[in-house]
Amino acid sequence: MGVAVIGVGYYGFNANTPDLSWKEIMYEAATRAYADAGINPRKDVDSFITCAEDIYEGFAIFDEFVPDQLGAVVKPTCTICGDFLYGIATAYMHIESGLADVAVVEAHSKASDILTFGNVIKFAMDPIWLRNVGKAHPYYFAALEMAQYVNECCITEEQIAEVVVKNKNNALLNDSAPYGAKVTVEDVLNSPMVFDPMRKIEIAQRADGAIVFVLASDKIAKEAEDPVWVKGVGWWSETSNFDTMSFNAYYAYKSAKMAYKLAGITNPAKEIDFAEVDDRFAFKELQHLEALQLSKRYETATLMQEGYFARDGALPVNISGGNLGIGNLLEATGGQKALEVVLQLRGLAGKRQLSDVEVGVAQAWRYIPTASGAVAVFGV
Amino acid sequence: MEVERISGLKFHKKQDVAIVGAGMTTWKRRLNETGKELSYLAVKQALEEAGLEIGDIEMVVMGSAPDTFDGLHMKGEYLLDGSGGSDRPYMRVFVGGGTGVFAPIAGYWHVASGLADVCLVVCEEKMSSCHPHPQSGFKYIWDPILDRPLNPNLIWIFALEMRRYMHVHNIKHEDIALVSVKNKANALDHPCAQVAEKITVEDVLNSEPMALPVRRLDVSPPSDGAAALIMVAPHIARQLTDNPVWVTGVGWALDTTMWTNRDLYFPRYVAEAAKMAYRMAHITDPRKEIDVAEPYDPFDYKELHHMEGLGLAKKGEAPILTREGVTARDGDLPTCPSGGLLGVGNPIAATMGVKACELYWQLAYRAGKRQVAKEVTNGVCQAWGDLMQVGTVMVMSNKR
């Protein structure tokens, strides 16, 4: 048995989308994915999965609003409260358990509709112990984690700046990356320090977009054009308590371990050709690369400076521009990562196409204040 | 209901799925416990019944309905450590009120896909923290352009549905009230029940009008509570028990958002979900082959409505079966022997405790005073939710 991606579609990504509603961007992405896979959603799909969180959407029961624009009326349709990669894991299980031969996964971000993003995140914090600690913006929690990480691993400001420089410059080759910019290390160091030790430019700004994947069992995928195989999936949660988290992206380490095991990967740093990792805070990219075992602890920042993770480096990371270049896509973040991996593997990444890539990994975190995340390994 | 017989490879799972333990808390207004604590209590019971420890659990599925009840964003993440989800793969699934049976369906695919051999399913709901009443949380479930300006609430859209059902089949309120009488009496035997009582049809018809034809005793109460279920692969089940209960079929379907465009007299989404589950379970004549049923009964008419959706009665026939005592605990088709939501309570997602958990207890002959009179082999449970829109169905059997 195997599971493959046989079609992808996306809409975006934009800093805001005043002309279309969230329903319309879902529709745009879905129709493109169905055309790409050559399927009719009303006849050919056995399961539809949307990844969404109620309060990001501004609804009490968001799954009510899913079926119509996906062509999923009176069909098995459900919502997973998690990142797009959790949706990929769910579709993988649907296909492996025989519940579906073709499954559709959707996630979107209409972050531009959110007026008070910081307050929304505050509502994710424990109402007794954490929510009312000071009047700080929740980004401070990421800054605390960063402080521990950079001190533990002796990482300099310049090394963190390298992440921003790489991703924002990578984004210049991506038409769908609204936050691409030609910046230098000096520019980053001159950016205001908003959450010490974190600078404003090291925080991904929010963006809108929608991503839809069509997945199928091997029986169907073998007849499809350019199938990209889901070699492994993994997801993992550490704890929901900020005071007991390890602050070392253990969620990414464990979910990668699960995904690598399914994919039969024993030496990720060698066997994986490129990676798309969550970089919604610049330091998170370094932390996640270590957790994914793509580089050794204490060496990652130096490798970053040496260009090991650059477009022409040994292991290109966030060629799409990452979240720093494309934006924070909320629950669709993993979708953008998986999309880039699939486009690269199919040779459809345009100006940013890498040569000779066969295995790529996508990773996403569930953002502050969680220690949960998911990983998917794709290959051709 | 016509269900086609299927053959061949469709539904070719990696391994069978057995249920070996369940637990639930008392359902009521529980101001002293947080949602994490409620989850903990249910999980502890389920682990004890299965003879497992939390370290044996490989993956956890969480079911919980709207975040607005608790005023929490990412409620699943918040409930993570109370429910045993920390340090393992943990995922929350959500289909509104249908979550009570959808979460065990998610547990099923975790095991059937071969990714987990031991999966814990936890459902938690704490409605009392929503002030002044959980109904105010439902203000945000409407289409903001088309529905919300009408300032609707759930009771009155269900009143529309009940009225339509009564009109199409010419059903009297007296016949519907019998469901409330039966379930509240059944609940007298349930140790977790919130509103169990001996009432009469007159009590229902004379109770306070909410949105006519819906009256106070036609409706289940808001509750706080949690439930847990443990699903395992066959080789684990063999080590734990001689009598596991097998999940033989699952199904779910979500209808259009535009509830105003549907004929409300028949829940076609429940029928579609049931067909999927019956096909998988190789059940072709549900009325004959199903021995015990737990349809979702947040309102008394909903039990009848859902029996028809599940193919346990012909359209318009469910009130007749009820009047004739077929659905009583000692009847030919015991329905809601737990006492259901009307008698035990309605903590939205945690209703898994009187649906999937109850069905497991009935089929394992562990239901105590609630055990139905007849011999049982196959059972079905079902939940419903959203804008009268989602049906989730699970079929179980004590024979593999």
Side-chain angles (χ1 to χ4, degrees), chain A residues 63-64 68 74 96 123 372, chain B residues 14 73 77 141 254 256 386:
Chain A
D63 72 286
E64 293 170 353
D68 299 72
V74 211
E96 288 286 315
F123 271 93
S372 299
Chain B
K14 281 272 166 70
H73 171 47
E77 295 292 331
I141 70 168
L254 196 63
T256 166
D386 289 2

Side-chain angles (χ1 to χ4, degrees), chain A residues 1 22-23 46-48 52-56 58-69 72-82 86-87 89-90 92-101 120-128 131 217 219 233 235-241 244 250 254 258 262 331 366-372, chain B residues 9-14 34 36 59-60 64-68 70-82 85-97 102 105-106 108-115 137-144 147-148 250-258 268-269 272 276 280 385-387 389-390:
Chain A
M1 279 280 276
W22 50 271
K23 264 191 186 175
D46 300 310
S47 167
F48 295 85
E53 276 286 356
D54 278 0
I55 295 184
Y56 278 150
F59 284 98
I61 307 181
F62 180 70
D63 72 286
E64 293 170 353
F65 300 95
V66 169
D68 299 72
Q69 61 274 23
V73 172
V74 211
K75 293 276 234 164
T77 304
C78 69
T79 311
I80 300 298
C81 300
Y86 281 76
T90 304
Y92 182 90
M93 289 190 280
H94 281 181
I95 292 171
E96 288 286 315
S97 60
L99 289 172
D101 280 326
V120 169
I121 298 178
K122 262 193 182 175
F123 271 93
M125 297 185 180
D126 188 294
I128 299 162
R131 196 180 289 171
S217 63
K219 193 176 66 188
V233 288
W235 67 103
W236 208 78
S237 292
E238 190 179 341
T239 169
S240 53
N241 288 338
T244 51
Y250 208 49
K254 292 290 276 193
M258 177 176 167
L262 279 171
E331 300 298 6
R366 293 210 63 208
Y367 211 55
I368 344 174
T370 76
S372 299
Chain B
L9 274 177
K10 183 79 178 166
F11 305 128
H12 45 274
K13 50 186 176 273
K14 281 272 166 70
T34 62
K36 295 186 193 213
M59 296 191 186
V60 176
S64 195
D67 287 6
T68 42
D70 309 70
L72 281 166
H73 171 47
M74 294 186 173
K75 185 164 55 161
E77 295 292 331
Y78 167 76
L79 292 170
L80 193 144
D81 31 14
S86 55
D87 287 341
R88 46 182 65 86
Y90 170 90
M91 199 184 297
R92 173 181 171 206
V93 296
F94 187 30
V95 285
F102 192 66
I105 292 175
Y108 167 85
W109 73 57
H110 275 66
V111 179
S113 64
L115 286 195
F138 290 128
K139 267 193 177 157
Y140 303 95
I141 70 168
W142 309 96
D143 185 294
D147 295 343
R148 217 176 280 177
V250 300
W252 68 103
L254 196 63
D255 210 333
T256 166
T257 314
M258 301 301 155
R268 60 173 184 178
Y269 42 89
E272 285 303 314
M276 175 177 171
M280 201 182 304
D386 289 2
L387 290 169
Q389 184 184 1
V390 60

Side-chain angles (χ1 to χ4, degrees), chain A residues 257-325:
Chain A
K257 221 173 151 178
M258 177 176 167
Y260 293 155
K261 196 177 161 203
L262 279 171
I265 289 175
T266 47
N267 187 348
K270 271 205 179 132
E271 292 172 60
I272 285 172
D273 299 326
F274 68 107
E276 284 280 314
V277 305
D278 198 321
D279 59 325
R280 282 182 274 186
F281 300 102
F283 79 96
K284 276 276 172 192
E285 176 165 321
L286 301 174
Q287 207 190 33
H288 287 149
L289 285 171
E290 287 172 7
L292 293 172
Q293 300 175 61
L294 298 177
S295 63
K296 288 206 185 81
R297 201 161 160 80
Y298 308 112
E299 287 176 9
T300 318
T302 321
L303 289 176
M304 182 70 68
Q305 242 171 345
E306 289 167 357
Y308 184 84
F309 302 114
R311 169 187 314 289
D312 51 2
L315 196 142
V317 171
N318 286 337
I319 314 102
S320 63
N323 298 109
L324 291 164

Side-chain angles (χ1 to χ4, degrees), chain B residues 232-250:
Chain B
V232 300
H235 65 279
I236 309 281
R238 208 175 300 133
Q239 296 169 36
L240 296 171
T241 173
D242 293 333
N243 310 304
V245 172
W246 302 93
V247 180
T248 49
V250 300

Side-chain angles (χ1 to χ4, degrees), chain A residues 43-345:
Chain A
K43 281 199 320 219
D44 303 329
V45 178
D46 300 310
S47 167
F48 295 85
I49 299 151
T50 286
C51 308
E53 276 286 356
D54 278 0
I55 295 184
Y56 278 150
E57 307 292 342
F59 284 98
I61 307 181
F62 180 70
D63 72 286
E64 293 170 353
F65 300 95
V66 169
D68 299 72
Q69 61 274 23
L70 294 181
V73 172
V74 211
K75 293 276 234 164
T77 304
C78 69
T79 311
I80 300 298
C81 300
D83 184 85
F84 182 90
L85 295 178
Y86 281 76
I88 293 282
T90 304
Y92 182 90
M93 289 190 280
H94 281 181
I95 292 171
E96 288 286 315
S97 60
L99 289 172
D101 280 326
V102 177
V104 165
V105 184
E106 187 274 344
H108 60 272
S109 157
K110 197 74 182 354
S112 62
D113 284 350
I114 299 175
L115 297 178
T116 52
F117 185 65
N119 284 342
V120 169
I121 298 178
K122 262 193 182 175
F123 271 93
M125 297 185 180
D126 188 294
I128 299 162
W129 301 110
L130 205 54
R131 196 180 289 171
N132 297 312
V133 178
K135 296 247 183 279
H137 189 285
Y139 284 161
Y140 251 109
F141 290 105
L144 282 172
E145 184 172 345
M146 175 176 173
Q148 168 166 337
Y149 177 68
V150 295
N151 285 320
E152 220 172 71
C153 296
C154 305
I155 293 169
T156 63
E157 288 179 313
E158 288 78 10
Q159 285 170 323
I160 295 284
E162 288 286 349
V163 178
V164 183
V165 171
K166 170 175 76 68
N167 291 359
K168 282 198 180 275
N169 280 287
N170 278 352
L172 289 172
L173 290 183
N174 185 349
D175 294 338
S176 306
Y179 299 110
K182 199 168 158 62
V183 290
T184 61
V185 171
E186 203 171 278
D187 294 333
V188 175
L189 296 181
N190 287 331
S191 163
M193 183 78 87
V194 280
F195 300 96
D196 196 345
M198 194 157 30
R199 295 174 194 281
K200 189 163 184 224
I201 202 169
E202 293 166 12
I203 302 170
Q205 296 183 68
R206 291 180 295 286
D208 294 349
I211 299 126
V212 173
F213 273 29
V214 181
L215 287 91
S217 63
D218 54 354
K219 193 176 66 188
I220 290 169
K222 272 176 195 148
E223 288 162 23
E225 259 178 80
D226 297 337
V228 171
W229 297 92
V230 183
K231 300 211 160 221
V233 288
W235 67 103
W236 208 78
S237 292
E238 190 179 341
T239 169
S240 53
N241 288 338
F242 218 77
D243 42 2
T244 51
M245 282 175 197
S246 66
F247 278 179
N248 61 9
Y250 208 49
Y251 54 87
Y253 172 74
K254 292 290 276 193
S255 42
K257 221 173 151 178
M258 177 176 167
Y260 293 155
K261 196 177 161 203
L262 279 171
I265 289 175
T266 47
N267 187 348
K270 271 205 179 132
E271 292 172 60
I272 285 172
D273 299 326
F274 68 107
E276 284 280 314
V277 305
D278 198 321
D279 59 325
R280 282 182 274 186
F281 300 102
F283 79 96
K284 276 276 172 192
E285 176 165 321
L286 301 174
Q287 207 190 33
H288 287 149
L289 285 171
E290 287 172 7
L292 293 172
Q293 300 175 61
L294 298 177
S295 63
K296 288 206 185 81
R297 201 161 160 80
Y298 308 112
E299 287 176 9
T300 318
T302 321
L303 289 176
M304 182 70 68
Q305 242 171 345
E306 289 167 357
Y308 184 84
F309 302 114
R311 169 187 314 289
D312 51 2
L315 196 142
V317 171
N318 286 337
I319 314 102
S320 63
N323 298 109
L324 291 164
I326 289 172
N328 176 359
L329 292 163
L330 310 182
E331 300 298 6
T333 295
Q336 178 272 317
K337 309 285 175 204
L339 174 74
E340 180 68 16
V341 173
V342 169
L343 292 179
Q344 291 284 354
L345 292 173

